[in-house]
DNA sequence: TTGTAGGCGTTATCAC
DNA sequence: GTGATAACGCCTACAA
């Protein structure tokens, strides 16, 4: 049994340089082509050489250089993922399953968040494209012309999640936002609420617009007037929502219920309610978009519209995987999922039927 | 069939082939070296050529190929980031600021989460290393030998966050977990609790061990015995914590208070308390690790140990940036930050000073 | 100031 | 089955 001289590679090792295919080839006394063949299983190699090469790889500690490989084959097996806010549990849930599915399929994910900032967004996408990602999954913060230009000229497949972009025809998986909010608003109406405050997200996003449209549609369906003083436009984040709710709560003709167009904002709303000295649901009702894992254990138990986060993530990942493996030129596929209204405790009938009236 | 395939290949290639430096050079009638010079600003170029090249770049829509560049210069300007659970608000907060700081410094971040799974963890790190990241920021799920070997042989700087690893001497930023839990436990003791249940995270992690050590230390300091029946070992996630809390709550000699070693677990604890028909804090007190943005607006208002997430993220990012820009060989730096006990409402004195004078 | 040529580590196309 | 060798797109001495 011959032993491979460990001393021979010292020179290279001292420079901290990682071993290359050539090193393996020399050590196993074969050509790089053969090494490549066993590493990739691309062409059959005789058992003898194969084992010689494999032990050489072990000994040297060879790892194939993905950068060089990518340069050669023109693919990075990396997906760029951009969401507006990674601090938002909805997005983290989705990101988590996307990451999981993609990992299983052999893709890495490069993550960016733009903090709902439209300029940062463009920068992030450029950065992702710059890294030569094979595909893009994004939840756009807004729809500026720049974004559209970038996506149009980008040669990689894109799938939009959560939010659509006018004029961008790509695969997408979104929620039926209008319907979801329509249902939720109808529910509030059915409980007797007539003045329902609405804390909106940014109307730069399709979700912002569609959810508001759902609210209006419910009002219309009930032949109720739309009072724009009841609507406050925020940006999907807690701080703005706090201010917006404050505005609503201190104005003349305070609403008896408030709808919050996402999860982060409802926290701002609740803080405003607390700071103003009211209680939910005793003094004011609240319904929100997006569910929380803790929603049915901390009080008030929030009545919310839950999104199928698991499915959204799975489908988005699958769409990009499909696109990348063959279905290059097929027409865009759009998946629209349904939300689910979870009725808990934060929205009560109005006017309140006194609970301890006679008992 | 074959024919068709070839055609597709051809077509795709012709459609998606992006312009190279050579194309720019030819279009501007200069050499690639000059193009490279203006793209990178590496050597001065005459104004005339520069503008000619710049317009050519515009016209052609040239983007430099980072893969080729990386292969040449040996750096990807990408940092690998691995956390145990991206669904955990603590990690997302930290990830968010790391991503932000790193982006500002011109780095992209490649994100992985291992779901507290030690095998997945090794896989993820290999994947990251495989992608030739310039550095690693990780919160290890556990400390198996494989991980240590990988990190030891990895030639990129690593910074550990949140959790340390025995035998891995790298930069790190962590919390003084022992002290934080010691303080929190002392607080519970000061309120009169004597039987304090402890829901632990995995003892495979330094945080799991240190936090438990803090609990014991507080008991010791108060000359109280350590009762191992009061301790349940979980894995930092809601589900296990639920079971653990159930165990605790249904056993003889039920504790009057429970400490939860992280944020996800406290939700499981609260669910168990609810399902068993108890109320917090009326029937049982709870203190937890990690704060929530909603903790002071939903009830019970949780008494928790808050971590300085902003600082943790900033410091971690800065450590890796520093390491990457020069300070290559300096000894590892370890930052230990202090937690802050936020006293709210979920932990009451024991025995309760009866508010309505019963019996 | 500008151009030429060699090489980064792989993969793929050929010969043998 | 195996081995030279030419790309992949870019950077950087070294020349001119």
């Amino acid at each position: 049994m011959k032993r491979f001289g460990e001393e021979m590679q010292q020179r290279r090792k001292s420079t901290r340089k990682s071993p290359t295919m050539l090193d393996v080839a020399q050590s196993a006394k074969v050509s790089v082509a053969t090494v490549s063949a066993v590493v990739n299983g691309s062409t059959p190699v005789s058992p003898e050489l194969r084992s010689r090469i494999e032990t050489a790889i072990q000994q040297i500690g060879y790892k194939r250089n993905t950068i060089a490989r990518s340069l050669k084959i023109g693919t990075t097996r990396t997906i760029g993922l951009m969401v507006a806010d990674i601090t938002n549990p909805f997005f983290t849930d989705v990101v988590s399953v996307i990451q999981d599915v993609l990992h299983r399929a052999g893709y890495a994910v490069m993550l960016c968040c733009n903090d709902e900032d439209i300029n940062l967004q463009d920068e992030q996408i450029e950065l992702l494209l710059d890294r030569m990602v094979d595909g893009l999954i994004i939840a756009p913060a807004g729809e500026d012309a720049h974004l559209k230009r970038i996506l149009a000229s980008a040669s990689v497949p894109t799938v939009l999640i959560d939010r659509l972009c006018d004029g961008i025809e790509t695969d997408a998986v979104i929620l039926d936002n209008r319907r979801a909010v329509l249902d939720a608003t109808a529910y509030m109406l059915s409980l007797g609420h007539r003045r329902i405050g609405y804390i909106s997200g940014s109307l730069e996003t399709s979700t912002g617009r569609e959810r508001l449209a759902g609210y209006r549609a419910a009002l219309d369906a009930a032949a109720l007037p739309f009072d724009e003083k009841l609507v406050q436009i925020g940006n999907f984040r807690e701080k703005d929502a706090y201010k917006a709710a404050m505005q609503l709560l201190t104005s003349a003709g305070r609403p008896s219920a408030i709808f919050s167009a996402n999860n982060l904002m409802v926290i701002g709303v609740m803080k405003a309610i607390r700071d103003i000295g009211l209680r939910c649901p005793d003094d004011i009702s609240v319904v929100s978009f997006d569910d929380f894992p803790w929603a049915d254990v901390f009080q008030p138990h929030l009545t919310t519209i839950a999104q199928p986060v698991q499915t959204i993530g799975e489908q988005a990942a699958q769409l990009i995987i499909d696109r990348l493996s063959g279905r290059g030129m097929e027409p865009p596929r759009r998946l629209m999922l349904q939300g689910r209204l979870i009725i808990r405790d934060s929205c009560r009938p109005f006017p309140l039927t006194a609970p301890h009236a006679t008992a």
Side-chain angles (χ1 to χ4, degrees), chain A residues 270-292:
Chain A
M270 297 302 288
K271 284 188 179 169
I273 289 174
R274 176 200 60 191
D275 287 354
I276 229 154
L278 297 175
R279 286 165 313 160
C280 167
D282 309 87
D283 302 314
I284 188 164
S285 284
V286 169
V287 172
S288 169
F289 214 101
D290 299 318
D291 199 19
F292 292 108

Side-chain angles (χ1 to χ4, degrees), chain A residues 109-350:
Chain A
V109 3
M110 209 173 254
L111 177 80
C112 291
C113 33
N114 54 44
D115 284 323
E116 301 278 6
D117 177 335
I118 214 162
N119 298 313
L120 209 50
Q121 156 171 297
D122 294 342
E123 229 174 87
Q124 306 264 29
I125 295 193
E126 299 247 357
L127 177 141
L128 254 16
L129 256 15
D130 206 60
R131 286 325 190 266
M132 302 272 140
V133 293
D134 289 346
L136 238 29
I137 300 180
I138 63 185
E143 326 182 350
D144 63 334
H146 192 196
L147 172 67
K148 291 179 193 174
R149 224 179 41 236
I150 296 174
L151 290 187
S153 73
S155 49
V156 302
T158 302
V159 4
L160 257 22
I161 51 172
D162 187 49
R163 304 165 180 190
L164 248 29
C165 255
D166 266 1
I168 298 187
E169 298 299 322
T170 62
D171 290 343
V173 22
I174 58 168
L175 198 82
D176 188 346
N177 286 290
R178 184 188 302 238
R179 171 64 175 280
V181 176
L182 193 158
D183 288 351
T185 309
Y187 167 72
M188 296 167 91
L189 255 18
S190 78
L191 252 32
H193 292 281
R194 284 303 171 264
R195 294 186 59 72
I196 302 175
Y198 186 94
I199 311 284
S200 172
S202 163
L203 297 185
E204 294 289 308
T205 65
S206 65
T207 41
R209 292 191 301 271
E210 286 294 303
R211 289 175 193 179
L212 183 54
Y215 169 76
R216 295 191 69 148
L219 256 26
D220 280 355
L224 253 27
F226 172 74
D227 179 354
E228 63 179 21
K229 284 198 290 296
L230 285 175
V231 175
Q232 293 283 331
I233 313 293
N235 68 344
F236 284 126
R237 313 194 83 162
E238 182 190 322
K239 226 170 183 173
D240 277 30
Y242 176 83
K243 280 185 265 180
M246 273 298 191
Q247 192 75 26
L248 236 39
L249 293 171
T250 55
S251 66
R254 192 172 78 202
S256 65
I258 292 184
F259 181 84
S260 157
N262 89 336
N263 50 7
L264 261 27
M265 296 200 298
V266 78
I267 294 171
V269 170
M270 297 302 288
K271 284 188 179 169
I273 289 174
R274 176 200 60 191
D275 287 354
I276 229 154
L278 297 175
R279 286 165 313 160
C280 167
D282 309 87
D283 302 314
I284 188 164
S285 284
V286 169
V287 172
S288 169
F289 214 101
D290 299 318
D291 199 19
F292 292 108
W294 45 268
D296 57 1
V297 53
F298 284 82
Q299 267 148 3
H301 295 173
L302 277 176
T303 292
T304 64
I305 298 164
Q307 297 198 55
V309 285
Q310 178 82 21
T311 310
I312 294 176
E314 280 169 0
Q315 295 298 333
Q318 200 52 55
L319 279 176
I320 205 81
I321 291 173
D322 285 355
R323 211 38 106 172
L324 254 20
S325 43
R327 313 200 212 322
M329 288 301 150
E330 286 180 15
R333 289 194 288 175
R334 261 154 159 67
L335 273 59
M336 186 182 294
L337 276 22
Q338 294 298 327
R340 189 166 53 92
L341 180 64
I342 302 183
I343 295 174
R344 285 194 277 244
D345 217 25
S346 60
C347 185
R348 293 273 175 82
F350 180 83

